Amino acid sequence: MPFEKERSVGESERRYAWTGDDADGKEIMREEDRLTPNTVLCEQLVSFANIHEAVKKVMQNKGSAGIDGMGVDELPAHLEAHWPEIREQIVTRTYNPRPVLRREIPKDNGGVRLLGIPTAVDRVIQQALVQVLTPVFEPTFSDYSFGFRPKRSAEDAVRLAQTYMSEGYQHVVDLDLSKFFDTVNHDILMGLIDKYMDDKDVRRLIYVFLKSGVMTNGSMMATALGTPQGGPLSPLLSNIYLTPYDRELEKRGLKFVRYADDCNIFTKSKRSSYRVRDNAKSYLERKLQLTVNMEKTEAGRAVGSTFLGFTFLTNGEKGRLGVTRPQEKKLKKLKDRIRLVTKRNRGVAIEVVIRELNNALRGWIGYFARSFIKGYLEDLMGWIRRRIRQYLWKQWKNGRNRKHRLRQLGIAEWRLSKWKLGSNSHWRMAGLMNHLIENETIHGYYKLVDAVEYYEKLHTKRMEQDGIVLDWRYNSLFG
């Protein structure tokens, strides 16, 4: 990691800075260290410990290179050589970030999400900003906001939504904000930042990140609106921007849960859901200058609605939450991922395939473990095991090698003689080979995770947690 110690400041690094006017209107100058921050927050920002932690997090998150092509693995050497210069620019308010690189990411609904990828160095500075700004703004956020916040998760948000439903709030308003991250008004955002933070050095740095511009197909475009997704700073700024909306909903006594720009408001009747929808739309468009997409905005029964990838199947009852299931498109996305990983002509080792499958299954189940999906996973695992047998059959190529490989698995010779091991009907043979390549072999020898067993363990913990949480945390939100 860079910066083995703090660098000392020599006399040659001193500068003169304007501090104001005297009684005669003449400018007064003071001498100060070029590398001495002007404010406490700025001092925290450029401190060795803060930057070191920011570098570590950026490298852990990996990510694509920005417009300069520098990868995160190059950060330590680059910052070791250039950090004094970058630090000076931050302290003297001359640091200017590079434009973000525009990328389009396909969405589940067929549209695209616009990402803005900062350079690796800019990501470090943004992450360092987040680390010092979070303690400032976290106390100002609503208890009903869960996105991109410490010790809060999407699962907490879904659990609170289920809690409302079990309390009798069986209608929901799901407002869809059109291109939220791309339409944030900079003047409104900076006004909200000024409300809680009186630090011109850090304020200026936030502002230049907002105005850094976008590079698309080699052309530079200015950014008059928005906080481009793709950098560490954007999620924090989105929460700052939407906090007045949270407070307005609280002031009106509404039951809501928000995760980033996904916000569900729960009501007890159909009529009130329509009224809440119209009032919320008016506030968002009038006060925050955001656009509500009425074609995708819904006001209806909570049962059958979706939130953060979950579909609510039942309302539940007081003290007991209802049932959820992953959205159909999330189920399809998982199967599409598995098809891609287990494509029989990939040409990679089976160990690589199993590792990728395990990562995909653990991550997906870890997110959806509160849903009731044991039957679905049982069917899924049968399908996955057959695809693995197909992959092996293809990879082993011919009857001679297949016989050799099966012997290595401990299959007796008399059993091998019963099968036509030269067949290249891969899918058909994969269905027949369960007698030779048994489930225990796939899980024990090849180390494929048993998704059903893994799910049952996590699901039990989630249900136990629901009982604990309902006893103290979420009931307290109802007063």
Side-chain angles (χ1 to χ4, degrees), residues 246-351:
D246 296 339
R247 297 306 183 192
E248 181 67 17
L249 296 177
E250 288 177 8
K251 187 173 73 174
R252 299 186 183 198
L254 295 170
K255 305 296 183 182
F256 73 98
V257 54
R258 183 174 67 79
Y259 192 96
D261 59 328
D262 289 326
C263 182
N264 278 9
I265 310 169
F266 291 83
T267 68
K268 288 190 173 181
S269 71
K270 183 178 181 179
R271 177 179 294 180
S272 59
S273 70
Y274 289 151
R275 183 181 68 252
V276 167
R277 178 198 62 189
D278 295 340
N279 289 339
K281 175 180 181 294
S282 174
Y283 181 89
L284 289 166
E285 294 184 340
R286 182 169 42 88
K287 294 290 187 178
L288 297 180
Q289 297 185 20
L290 298 172
T291 301
V292 176
N293 185 341
M294 293 305 293
E295 291 183 2
K296 295 183 179 179
T297 293
E298 299 176 351
R301 289 195 171 275
V303 169
S305 68
T306 60
F307 183 51
L308 299 179
F310 290 83
T311 298
F312 300 117
L313 301 181
T314 64
N315 286 313
E317 56 190 30
K318 190 171 184 178
R320 183 173 181 175
L321 303 186
V323 176
T324 67
R325 179 180 172 85
Q327 281 180 269
E328 286 300 323
K329 64 183 180 181
K330 299 300 181 182
L331 299 174
K332 180 181 181 302
K333 191 173 183 179
L334 175 63
K335 294 196 76 171
D336 289 343
R337 173 64 178 158
I338 292 168
R339 282 193 185 93
L340 187 63
V341 170
T342 58
K343 192 176 180 181
R344 71 188 187 204
N345 61 355
R346 279 189 70 194
V348 300
I350 187 63
E351 292 78 12

Side-chain angles (χ1 to χ4, degrees), residues 119-319:
T119 64
V121 172
D122 285 340
R123 288 210 292 278
V124 169
I125 306 304
Q126 286 194 29
Q127 180 61 41
L129 272 169
V130 170
Q131 290 165 188
V132 298
L133 290 176
T134 295
V136 174
F137 288 98
E138 181 64 23
T140 72
F141 294 154
S142 169
D143 287 337
Y144 307 94
S145 164
F146 293 86
F148 314 117
R149 296 182 60 189
K151 299 180 181 179
R152 287 170 172 254
S153 66
E155 173 140 1
D156 293 330
V158 172
R159 186 183 290 112
L160 180 55
Q162 289 181 275
T163 304
Y164 290 139
M165 293 168 64
S166 70
E167 293 283 335
Y169 295 87
Q170 297 178 6
H171 288 77
V172 64
V173 177
D174 182 5
L175 285 169
D176 184 271
L177 293 175
S178 181
K179 299 180 180 179
F180 164 71
F181 286 92
D182 300 318
T183 57
V184 166
N185 183 287
H186 292 171
D187 291 337
I188 295 175
L189 175 58
M190 295 310 299
L192 294 170
I193 290 171
D194 291 342
K195 186 176 179 181
Y196 296 103
M197 186 194 73
D198 183 18
D199 189 305
K200 292 182 179 180
D201 288 358
V202 175
R203 182 193 192 280
R204 185 260 174 193
L205 194 56
I206 296 171
Y207 187 76
V208 294
F209 271 116
L210 290 173
K211 298 295 186 182
S212 62
V214 174
M215 186 71 73
T216 305
N217 297 324
S219 300
M220 164 72 177
M221 295 188 302
T223 46
L225 295 171
T227 60
Q229 290 177 275
L233 187 58
S234 183
L236 176 64
L237 297 182
S238 71
N239 275 331
I240 294 172
Y241 198 82
L242 287 173
T243 292
Y245 175 56
D246 296 339
R247 297 306 183 192
E248 181 67 17
L249 296 177
E250 288 177 8
K251 187 173 73 174
R252 299 186 183 198
L254 295 170
K255 305 296 183 182
F256 73 98
V257 54
R258 183 174 67 79
Y259 192 96
D261 59 328
D262 289 326
C263 182
N264 278 9
I265 310 169
F266 291 83
T267 68
K268 288 190 173 181
S269 71
K270 183 178 181 179
R271 177 179 294 180
S272 59
S273 70
Y274 289 151
R275 183 181 68 252
V276 167
R277 178 198 62 189
D278 295 340
N279 289 339
K281 175 180 181 294
S282 174
Y283 181 89
L284 289 166
E285 294 184 340
R286 182 169 42 88
K287 294 290 187 178
L288 297 180
Q289 297 185 20
L290 298 172
T291 301
V292 176
N293 185 341
M294 293 305 293
E295 291 183 2
K296 295 183 179 179
T297 293
E298 299 176 351
R301 289 195 171 275
V303 169
S305 68
T306 60
F307 183 51
L308 299 179
F310 290 83
T311 298
F312 300 117
L313 301 181
T314 64
N315 286 313
E317 56 190 30
K318 190 171 184 178

Side-chain angles (χ1 to χ4, degrees), residues 21-27:
D21 298 336
D22 64 9
D24 299 324
K26 295 180 179 179
E27 292 173 318

Side-chain angles (χ1 to χ4, degrees), residues 56-84:
K56 193 162 70 172
K57 288 187 177 180
V58 169
M59 294 185 70
Q60 286 173 349
N61 292 334
K62 299 181 180 179
S64 303
I67 63 170
D68 61 354
M70 180 191 295
V72 295
D73 57 321
E74 301 175 63
L75 274 171
H78 180 83
L79 290 177
E80 184 69 33
H82 298 284
W83 174 243

